[in-house]
């Protein structure tokens, strides 16, 4: 059966690049993107609809119009923005998910992708090689909502046999889209500021190690997960996914190898530091490797080289 995909929240950092890859794989006519506002660019053959995932009636009409076989629900309020608007973050992140899950049951839509995050971990989770199964005590509303969402996904799978698949994304690094309000966004900003001004003031401390993933790996890993046979998927909450862990000081040193005059400074007492301090420094993604063959391809050096090469012509 030919796949037809509806993606909700397609204008964001991951959505914009994932949509492009899915169009290449399935054809532009079989990938319908949607968001609460028009995208900045739209190719002639792209299909796009304005939608608010909290408007269940409009969402149902969208699904009835296009009859998707897969839904990618990417609409969410991220960590730093969510701390400013916690009630709005909970509403979007949880009720948007519930709307999609309930309509998938009603309309017999079989396969759903919904992203979680390393924000589900907290101060009592292991910091190094954080396990798939461990203590989770998130301190941000984003993390709380993502953890609740994981439990909903697993519940709907076990109770209703919905084929829901998920990845706990670490920080995502990409040169194509602007940062979207996440705690790990410094790892994008730093390249832009290095090229524009030759310096960057980081809101995280020099030794704050966080797991990161280059966008090419994130897109490839997501599609590999969705392509895997259902019988190979043993995790129905969300898969740990690791790429490369590094600190602001380490990424600054890598940039200096390419831009020797780059200067780095730091600010104290930024509220995002407390969020970062509660997150893992590195991730154990053995289940993803065992179940569907996950392996990252980009390390810190190749990330820095590719970011700077591409941003030189786009900043």
């Amino acid at each position: 059966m030919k796949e037809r995909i509806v993606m909700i929240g397609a204008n964001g950092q991951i959505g914009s690049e994932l949509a492009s890859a899915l169009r290449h794989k399935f054809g532009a006519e079989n990938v319908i993107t949607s968001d609460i506002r028009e995208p900045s660019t739209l190719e002639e053959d792209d299909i796009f609809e304005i939608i608010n995932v909290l408007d269940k009636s409009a969402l149902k009409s969208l699904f009835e119009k296009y009859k998707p076989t897969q839904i990618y629900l990417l609409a969410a309020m991220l960590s730093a923005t969510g701390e400013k608007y916690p009630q709005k973050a909970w509403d979007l992140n949880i009720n948007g998910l519930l709307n999609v899950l309930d309509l998938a049951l009603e309309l017999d839509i079989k396969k759903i992708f919904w992203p979680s995050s390393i924000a589900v971990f907290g101060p009592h989770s292991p910091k190094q090689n954080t396990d798939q199964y461990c203590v989770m005590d998130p301190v941000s509303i984003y993390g709380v909502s993502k953890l609740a969402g994981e439990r909903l996904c697993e519940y709907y799978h076990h109770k209703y046999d919905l084929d829901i698949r998920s990845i706990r994304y670490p920080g995502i690094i990409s040169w194509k889209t602007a940062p979207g309000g996440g705690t790990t966004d410094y790892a994008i900003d730093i390249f832009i500021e290095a090229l524009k001004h030759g310096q960057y003031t980081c809101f995280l401390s020099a030794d704050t190690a966080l797991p990161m993933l280059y966008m090419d790996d994130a897109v490839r890993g997501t599609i590999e997960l969705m392509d895997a046979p259902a019988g190979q998927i043993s995790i129905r909450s969300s898969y740990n996914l690791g790429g490369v862990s590094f600190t602001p000081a380490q990424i600054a040193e890598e940039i200096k190898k390419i831009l020797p005059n780059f200067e780095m400074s730091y600010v104290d007492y930024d509220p995002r530091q407390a969020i970062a301090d509660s997150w893992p420094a590195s991730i154990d993604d053995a289940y993803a490797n065992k179940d569907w063959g996950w392996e990252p391809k980009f390390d810190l050096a190749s990330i820095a080289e590719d970011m700077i090469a591409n941003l030189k012509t786009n900043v």
Side-chain angles (χ1 to χ4, degrees):
M1 184 175 66
K2 181 176 287 188
E3 299 289 355
R4 172 163 276 200
I5 293 165
V6 168
M7 180 181 292
I8 304 161
N11 292 353
Q13 184 193 22
I14 295 173
S16 56
E17 299 197 41
L18 182 57
S20 178
L22 290 170
R23 289 186 183 109
H24 180 76
K25 180 177 175 67
F26 295 108
E29 72 279 8
N30 293 313
V31 179
I32 297 87
T33 55
S34 64
D35 212 303
I36 57 172
R37 61 183 65 87
E38 292 277 352
S40 56
T41 58
L42 202 62
E43 299 297 325
E44 184 178 352
D45 294 334
D46 293 351
I47 305 171
F48 179 85
E49 299 272 1
I50 295 286
I51 197 72
N52 183 344
V53 71
L54 296 177
D55 186 340
K56 192 172 184 179
S57 176
L59 199 62
K60 182 178 180 180
S61 296
L62 180 74
F63 294 161
E64 288 176 332
K65 178 179 179 180
Y66 290 105
K67 297 178 173 56
T69 60
Q70 299 183 24
I71 300 169
Y72 284 67
L73 172 55
L74 305 180
M77 188 175 290
L78 301 183
S79 57
T81 308
E83 291 309 290
K84 299 176 183 176
Y85 311 104
Q87 288 184 321
K88 289 182 179 179
W90 177 265
D91 191 27
L92 175 59
N93 297 355
I94 292 299
N95 291 323
L97 173 60
L98 282 170
N99 284 346
V100 168
L101 294 177
D102 287 340
L103 287 171
L105 290 177
E106 182 180 343
L107 302 175
D108 198 30
I109 302 167
K110 294 299 186 183
K111 189 182 285 189
I112 296 169
F113 177 78
W114 172 84
S116 189
S117 165
I118 61 167
V120 298
F121 300 113
H124 294 92
S125 306
K127 292 291 285 184
Q128 303 294 334
N129 295 318
T130 305
D131 304 326
Q132 176 69 43
Y133 297 105
C134 65
V135 172
M136 297 181 192
D137 53 346
V139 298
S140 66
I141 192 64
Y142 178 61
V144 169
S145 65
K146 284 298 184 182
L147 182 55
E150 287 190 14
R151 307 320 311 144
L152 284 170
C153 288
E154 190 156 28
Y155 176 79
Y156 271 71
H157 171 71
H158 288 305
K159 187 172 180 67
Y160 304 111
D161 201 32
L162 267 181
D163 187 356
I164 309 168
R165 306 183 184 196
S166 179
I167 286 169
R168 289 174 184 150
Y169 287 124
I172 305 293
I173 303 175
S174 169
W175 59 269
K176 289 185 180 179
T177 51
T183 300
T184 55
D185 281 349
Y186 89 87
I188 302 171
D189 270 339
I190 192 172
F191 290 103
I192 297 170
E193 294 302 308
L195 286 165
K196 279 186 174 180
H197 306 295
Q199 59 184 14
Y200 180 66
T201 301
C202 188
F203 55 77
L204 297 181
S205 65
D207 60 351
T208 302
L210 289 172
M212 300 283 187
L213 190 62
Y214 201 48
M215 180 63 80
D216 297 47
D217 278 340
V219 168
R220 179 178 55 82
T222 302
I223 293 174
E224 286 175 357
L225 169 63
M226 291 298 279
D227 283 349
Q232 292 179 206
I233 306 302
S234 67
I235 305 294
R236 291 298 182 169
S237 52
S238 191
Y239 277 95
N240 274 7
L241 206 67
V244 56
S245 291
F246 55 80
T247 66
Q250 288 172 323
I251 196 171
E253 284 304 309
E254 208 62 48
I255 291 172
K256 284 182 180 181
K257 293 177 183 177
I258 306 169
L259 304 171
N261 294 325
F262 174 68
E263 295 181 359
M264 182 83 148
S265 59
Y266 301 89
V267 296
D268 295 326
Y269 309 116
D270 189 285
R272 287 166 287 193
Q273 183 67 53
I275 297 174
D277 287 342
S278 72
W279 288 355
S282 59
I283 295 291
D284 180 352
D285 55 11
Y287 279 90
N289 175 265
K290 176 176 66 72
D291 288 357
W292 42 278
W294 162 250
E295 287 286 352
K297 292 183 178 178
F298 283 81
D299 60 13
L300 179 54
S302 55
I303 289 171
E305 290 170 7
D306 201 62
M307 285 289 288
I308 291 172
N310 283 291
L311 285 171
K312 275 182 177 178
T313 58
N314 288 276
V315 170

